[in-house]
């Protein structure tokens, strides 16, 4: 990697680190002030400021997660059961979208060498997107398929396809496509990509008959 890229990465990490404490302190101060007897219009404005602080905290923690992933190595890998990691990620996401149904076609033990909590995070981000961009009542489906030295995980949802011209940009930081109509930062897939790269996994998007499909192919 060239020096400029290294410097940019370090810069983003440093900024994120440096922002964390002042943001946390600003939020605490606001929360204390919000307990005071203040006019409603002031409280409404303060709630908006708090919401924006929460957004900044979320952005900095996603950027730090990407940086941490890029500084992790295969030395930190442990053998884990992939199905358990996937089930854990479904558990996390279903708490947020509690009326969404998830269907998984295979739940057998598959050992992979990985950083378990990071893989859970990557699957959770894909599932979060599948719920967020799902345009029907149909369930989110997951397929897991082992073949030789790899295992393929697919996360599928019905919804508007990502326009062709945007498909090579969706894994970049802060990119959101025109099919996104809800809130977001455009960081979820950048996190997925960083985690996939750490595991030497391939990750890509394809669209078939109104089904949005994200595929991750992991070496065992
Ligand atoms: N399952 C999906 N179905 C349709 N479009 C998707 C799907 N997943 C991602 N996208 C598109 O790719 C873009 C990038 O996704 P990404 O997860 O990085 O960001 P986000 O969901 O917009 O925000 P964040 O994840 O940071 O809250 C989305 O804005 C959306 O346009
Ligand atoms: Mg997302």
């Amino acid at each position: 990697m060239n020096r400029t890229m290294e410097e940019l990465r370090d810069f983003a990490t440093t900024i994120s680190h440096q922002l964390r404490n002042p943001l946390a302190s600003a939020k605490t101060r606001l929360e204390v002030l919000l307990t005071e007897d203040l006019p409603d219009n002031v409280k409404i404005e303060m709630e908006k400021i708090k919401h924006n602080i929460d957004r900044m905290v979320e952005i900095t923690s996603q950027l730090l997660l990407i940086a941490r992933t890029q500084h992790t190595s295969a030395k930190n890998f442990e053998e884990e059961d992939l199905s358990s990691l996937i089930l854990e990620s479904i558990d996390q996401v279903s708490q947020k979208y509690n009326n969404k149904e998830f269907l998984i076609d295979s739940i057998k033990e598959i050992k992979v060498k990985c950083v378990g909590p990071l893989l859970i995070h990557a699957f959770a981000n894909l599932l979060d997107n599948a719920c967020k961009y799902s345009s029907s009542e149909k369930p989110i489906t997951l397929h897991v398929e082992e073949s030789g030295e790899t295992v393929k995980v697919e996360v599928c949802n019905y919804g508007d396809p990502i326009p062709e011209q945007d498909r090579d940009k969706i894994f970049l930081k802060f990119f959101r496509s025109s099919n996104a109509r809800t809130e977001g930062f455009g960081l979820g897939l950048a996190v997925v990509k960083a985690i996939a790269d750490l595991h030497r996994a391939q990750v890509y998007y394809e669209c078939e008959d109104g089904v949005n499909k994200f595929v991750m192919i992991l070496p065992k």
Side-chain angles (χ1 to χ4, degrees), residues 97 124-126 128-130 132-133 176 183-189 192:
Y97 300 91
N125 280 7
L126 293 178
D128 182 78
N129 281 346
K132 198 156 83 163
Y133 303 115
R176 306 198 76 212
E183 268 204 348
F185 307 114
L187 282 173
L189 288 179
V192 172

Side-chain angles (χ1 to χ4, degrees), residues 125-126 128-130 132-133 157 160-162 170 172 175-180 183-190 205 212 214:
N125 280 7
L126 293 178
D128 182 78
N129 281 346
K132 198 156 83 163
Y133 303 115
N157 67 285
D160 288 346
I162 301 173
I170 51 175
L172 299 174
F175 183 82
R176 306 198 76 212
S177 180
S178 53
N179 69 333
E183 268 204 348
F185 307 114
L187 282 173
L189 288 179
Y205 164 80
N212 286 315
F214 279 85

